[in-house]
Amino acid sequence: MPTRILPAGADPDAVRSLVTLLSQLPDAEPQPPAGDSTQLVDTLARLAAESVDELPEVVVVHERIGPVPALELIREVALRFPAVGVILVTTDASPGLFSAAMDSGARGLVALPLSYEELASRVQAVAQWSTGVRRHLGHGADVFGGVGGTVVTVSGAKGGVGATLTAIQLALAAQASGRPTALVDLDLQTGDIASYLDIQFRRSVVDLAAITDISPRVLADAVFRHDTGLALLLAAAEGERGEEVTDRAARQIVSALRSRYEVVVVDCGAQLSGAGAAAVEMADTALLVATPDVIAVRAAKRTVRMWDRLQIRKAEETTLVVNRHTRSAEIQPALVQRITGTALARTAVPANFKELQAVVDAGRLHELDGRSTVKQALWALAGELELVKAADGSHRGSGRGPGGFRRRKE
């Protein structure tokens, strides 16, 4: 049986040389290369969704891949696709890097410039390991059946547009439908999820920031279990400690949550931090909440352009949610979409703060009346984003949300 090998790298010349050499290996079947970290993870997720047997035995990652650094990418692949063997190709073959690569989950390291003998030996060893793991686990659906949970980030175009309210209600809708759901507060300095849900807590996302290997037990210790069943990972009460959560820590935390929960909703707030940027980049769906007024629309356009400049997310891969919508407003959702260049959620959230005031003041947002038009709209949005379990009991949708919500597969 041929060994399927998926190369990944951002340098076209380096990848071309790698593919040429891989094609010369005995029984090797190189796959079309992935040009960046997002494309690699998306490709593996798509193949795993079809069948675990479709996954390549070996992934070869060039050190100059991006936007996610190579070692962090290897860690995510190892966590989400544990029977895929990863090889790192690098100019630095020092013992320190070798140890770091192994700690991240790599199964081998090959030094540049490439040597046929070294590459052949390493690919063969990793392919045998991958085949052995799959045989030992019997391709069981319980072990490999999922590609990880769905991650949705919610960001505000500016402060006060309702991003936290949106994030909480989306998470509540997913949990109420029977899907295990985690809600994360990455608004690290001014996060209010704990206040909205009237809870006292000791652990926070900061407690996971310095941990390089987040085990299920460590994660469980940091998570607060709410009465609704939601798993909450909250911002620290001391806002200045938010700086301890780096982009690397955020990637590890989101990856760990994705492996344990079917739905992960992340409140990123309105201020872009490194952690928030990493979450938005990793997300299956990135929501940007704005209100139908000139200031908020300008802020939304500014945010979209900044994300694009920083290569965090393209405008067309961002979904705009219009909050406090009224039919009489001069600015309607379609106009906001044209100005920002984003995708547009079909569901607009109506302006009706009177419905919210009592539960917001009491810190009991989870007790919002089911007859509330705001709650109905936000739960409809959860359905539109395929965050709720379908009536037939299936866990996942088609992998592509209506209206193009999911990040496009290149």
Side-chain angles (χ1 to χ4, degrees), residues 357-368:
Q357 188 165 8
V359 292
V360 168
D361 289 345
R364 308 286 291 178
L365 194 56
H366 52 290
E367 295 180 355
L368 182 60

Side-chain angles (χ1 to χ4, degrees), residues 40-373:
L40 173 61
V41 173
D42 282 350
T43 298
L44 293 174
R46 174 176 52 79
L47 293 172
E50 295 174 3
S51 169
V52 175
D53 291 332
E54 297 298 319
L55 285 168
E57 285 77 22
V58 180
V59 168
V60 182
V61 175
H62 193 278
E63 63 179 353
R64 286 184 297 198
I65 197 167
V68 176
L71 292 182
E72 295 178 25
L73 175 62
I74 290 171
R75 185 184 299 276
E76 182 174 0
V77 171
L79 181 65
R80 293 181 60 182
F81 313 99
V84 174
V86 185
I87 297 173
L88 174 63
V89 175
T90 176
T91 54
D92 179 10
S94 65
L97 181 64
F98 181 86
S99 176
M102 296 305 105
D103 289 343
S104 296
R107 300 301 306 177
L109 185 147
V110 176
L112 289 168
L114 292 172
S115 159
Y116 174 88
E117 290 77 12
E118 183 182 10
L119 184 63
S121 173
R122 192 53 23 214
V123 166
Q124 182 181 19
V126 173
Q128 289 176 350
W129 171 86
S130 176
T131 302
V133 169
R134 298 182 193 201
R135 185 184 304 115
H136 176 72
L137 295 172
H139 303 285
D142 290 340
V143 178
F144 294 107
V147 299
T150 298
V151 176
V152 177
T153 56
V154 184
S155 304
K158 57 183 289 294
V161 296
T164 299
L165 168 70
T166 300
I168 291 173
Q169 289 298 327
L170 290 178
L172 288 170
Q175 180 70 36
S177 77
R179 301 187 72 181
T181 301
L183 175 59
V184 187
D185 198 342
L186 277 188
D187 188 358
L188 296 171
Q189 292 187 342
T190 58
D192 284 322
I193 287 179
S195 297
Y196 275 119
L197 298 178
D198 190 29
I199 56 176
Q200 302 293 324
F201 63 97
R202 293 184 301 108
R203 301 288 187 182
S204 74
V205 66
V206 172
D207 294 304
L208 298 178
I211 300 176
T212 56
D213 186 12
I214 302 176
S215 67
R217 181 172 181 177
V218 169
L219 186 63
D221 287 342
V223 164
F224 181 94
R225 183 67 63 177
H226 192 257
D227 293 342
T228 59
L230 280 179
L232 303 177
L233 188 55
L234 301 164
E238 306 84 9
E240 67 274 12
R241 296 197 64 196
E243 295 181 356
E244 299 175 32
V245 185
T246 63
D247 56 342
R248 179 176 181 178
R251 288 191 183 99
Q252 293 180 178
I253 291 166
V254 173
S255 294
L257 289 166
R258 175 181 249 154
S259 71
R260 301 290 295 177
Y261 298 92
E262 287 191 33
V263 176
V264 181
V265 179
V266 185
D267 179 6
C268 295
Q271 297 294 322
L272 184 67
S273 64
V280 171
E281 195 278 330
M282 293 177 66
D284 298 292
T285 302
L287 301 182
L288 182 62
V289 181
T291 49
D293 58 83
V294 173
I295 303 302
V297 173
R298 286 178 177 172
K301 185 176 182 179
R302 186 169 59 243
T303 297
V304 168
R305 287 181 172 180
M306 178 174 61
W307 287 1
D308 188 52
R309 288 195 305 271
L310 297 177
Q311 298 183 353
I312 296 170
R313 198 128 190 143
K314 297 177 182 178
E316 62 269 23
E317 294 174 346
T318 302
T319 301
L320 187 83
V321 177
V322 176
N323 187 25
R324 300 175 198 152
H325 169 258
T326 61
R327 292 185 178 181
S328 60
E330 292 186 13
I331 299 177
Q332 292 295 311
L335 176 60
V336 182
Q337 180 188 24
R338 286 198 300 272
I339 293 173
T340 60
T342 59
L344 178 67
R346 293 194 298 268
T347 305
V349 184
N352 201 335
F353 184 72
K354 288 184 178 179
E355 297 178 351
L356 301 171
Q357 188 165 8
V359 292
V360 168
D361 289 345
R364 308 286 291 178
L365 194 56
H366 52 290
E367 295 180 355
L368 182 60
D369 195 310
R371 294 170 294 181
S372 161
T373 58

